[in-house]
């Protein structure tokens, strides 16, 4: 399968713990996006990378959240000191080299539950 | 960000056409309309997008009104596997790219 992959698919953690999610985009895609989706709502944009550069961050991305894409390939999203309000589906998407010309392809998501 | 308005839910009979409406009255002249769908427990799947002209692909057709204030996604022959949440989205510019501004979507249930 050459689509976007995300790991883990599910994560259960206790409040206050740190968690890290990984996203592997489609191999030739240089743009990578993170979205968050809470129950019954559509996904909300969090942040975006072009190659290794993080070009935009939403106000939803508090100081406890950090995203990286060190070599312009896979990306990680870390949440420090998790809170129950962080429980959500975290979605990763990627798109091709032509800015604004290609649709975003989504991965299956990582479902986070904070107890 | 331009907002979209969709009915919360609709039913459709298997084999019939499903017409999904969307209002985007505040859309600006260079903003595209995208449609995605999300089947339970999966990531959103791209369906189609357009700016001014009607568009058709192997999945669906997109009809955009002349004033661009509304659009309709048409699934020509709905199957049970088309049961999903359908999102009408206006693409919002970012630095050198865009983000997808999702609403709550329409839950479409295709019934046998």
């Amino acid at each position: 399968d050459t689509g976007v992959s995300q790991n883990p698919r599910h994560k259960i953690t206790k409040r206050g713990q740190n968690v890290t999610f990984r996203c592997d985009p489609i191999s030739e895609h240089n743009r990578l996006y993170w979205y968050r989706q809470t129950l019954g709502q559509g996904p909300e944009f969090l942040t975006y990378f072009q190659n290794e550069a993080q070009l935009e961050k939403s106000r939803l991305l508090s100081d406890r959240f950090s995203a990286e894409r060190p070599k312009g390939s896979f990306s990680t999203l870390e949440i420090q000191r998790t809170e129950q309000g962080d429980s959500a589906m975290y979605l990763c998407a990627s798109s091709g080299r032509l800015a604004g010309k290609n649709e975003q392809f989504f991965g299956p998501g990582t479902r986070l539950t904070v107890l | 960000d331009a907002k979209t308005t969709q009915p919360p839910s609709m039913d459709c009979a298997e084999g019939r056409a499903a017409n999904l409406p969307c209002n985007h009255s505040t859309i600006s002249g260079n903003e595209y309309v995208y449609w995605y769908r999300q089947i339970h427990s999966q990531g959103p799947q791209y369906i189609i997008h357009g700016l001014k002209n009607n568009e058709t692909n192997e999945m669906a057709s997109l009809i955009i009104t002349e004033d661009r204030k509304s659009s309709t996604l048409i699934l020509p022959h709905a199957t049970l596997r088309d049961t999903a949440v359908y999102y009408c989205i206006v693409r919002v510019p970012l630095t050198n790219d865009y983000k997808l501004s999702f609403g709550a979507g329409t839950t479409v249930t295709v019934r046998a």
Side-chain angles (χ1 to χ4, degrees), chain A residues 8 10 15 38 55-56 76:
Chain A
H10 302 273
R15 187 177 56 184
T38 54
L55 296 186
E56 195 106 6
T76 58

Side-chain angles (χ1 to χ4, degrees), chain A residues 98-109:
Chain A
L98 297 177
K101 301 295 185 184
N102 300 82
E103 61 265 29
Q104 295 179 15
F105 294 86
F106 282 81

